[in-house]
Amino acid sequence: MRRPGLTTSRRALSWSSALRSASQPDQPAVREVRIRTAAGLRGTPPVALSAWRGVSGRRYVVIVHDLADAGTVEAPGAVVLGVRRREDGIAVLLGAGHIGSVADCAAQAGLDGATEIHVHRLADTAAERDAMVRDLVDDDV
């Protein structure tokens, strides 16, 4: 029985969480984390969202576009990720950049073998965009 005002050093352990993390194979440092969206919420078409985890562990939410549709995307100041999806559905990050238009970045991504572009619009400054690119493509972070 605990007395009021006393604290305990015991930590509650979620066994299901502990077992799940122990049974999962090591994940790559940079990886895509799918986001589930409510399809057709209030009559709007669903937006294809995803997220990427960088080497630092930071999470970057992106909008997914087919490479063929990249010419119609206007997002000045956005970070563009070139992505190729494997047959098993796993996304492979081929490169990232934020210099030039989305169409310019997508053209380079297409030359590198990308089939999708993922666009991150939430970085406000060039320094934030540079940090994101380094976090996703550099091994030295």
Side-chain angles (χ1 to χ4, degrees), residues 13-141:
L13 178 64
S14 168
W15 283 105
S16 62
S17 175
L19 290 173
R20 185 172 45 250
S21 65
S23 65
Q24 290 178 347
D26 291 332
Q27 296 179 342
V30 175
R31 66 189 182 281
E32 181 189 33
V33 181
R34 294 266 178 109
I35 296 176
R36 296 180 192 195
T37 59
L41 184 65
R42 295 185 186 202
T44 61
V47 176
L49 293 176
S50 192
W52 284 86
R53 290 267 181 207
V55 173
S56 68
R58 286 196 61 174
R59 182 174 174 237
Y60 305 100
V61 176
V62 296
I63 299 174
V64 179
H65 298 278
D66 286 330
L67 189 64
D69 300 333
T72 62
V73 177
E74 290 190 30
V79 177
V80 179
L81 311 177
V83 177
R84 178 180 50 82
R85 198 157 299 275
R86 298 186 332 203
E87 290 179 12
D88 60 0
I90 302 294
V92 177
L93 180 62
L94 301 175
H98 66 89
I99 307 299
S101 69
V102 173
D104 293 340
C105 292
Q108 180 60 47
L111 293 175
D112 293 339
T115 56
E116 300 175 354
I117 59 166
H118 295 193
V119 179
H120 177 78
R121 300 175 186 226
L122 301 176
D124 293 327
T125 65
E128 290 176 355
R129 292 186 283 273
D130 286 338
M132 178 182 169
V133 170
R134 281 192 311 273
D135 193 22
L136 290 173
V137 297
D138 281 358
D139 295 330
D140 300 328
V141 176

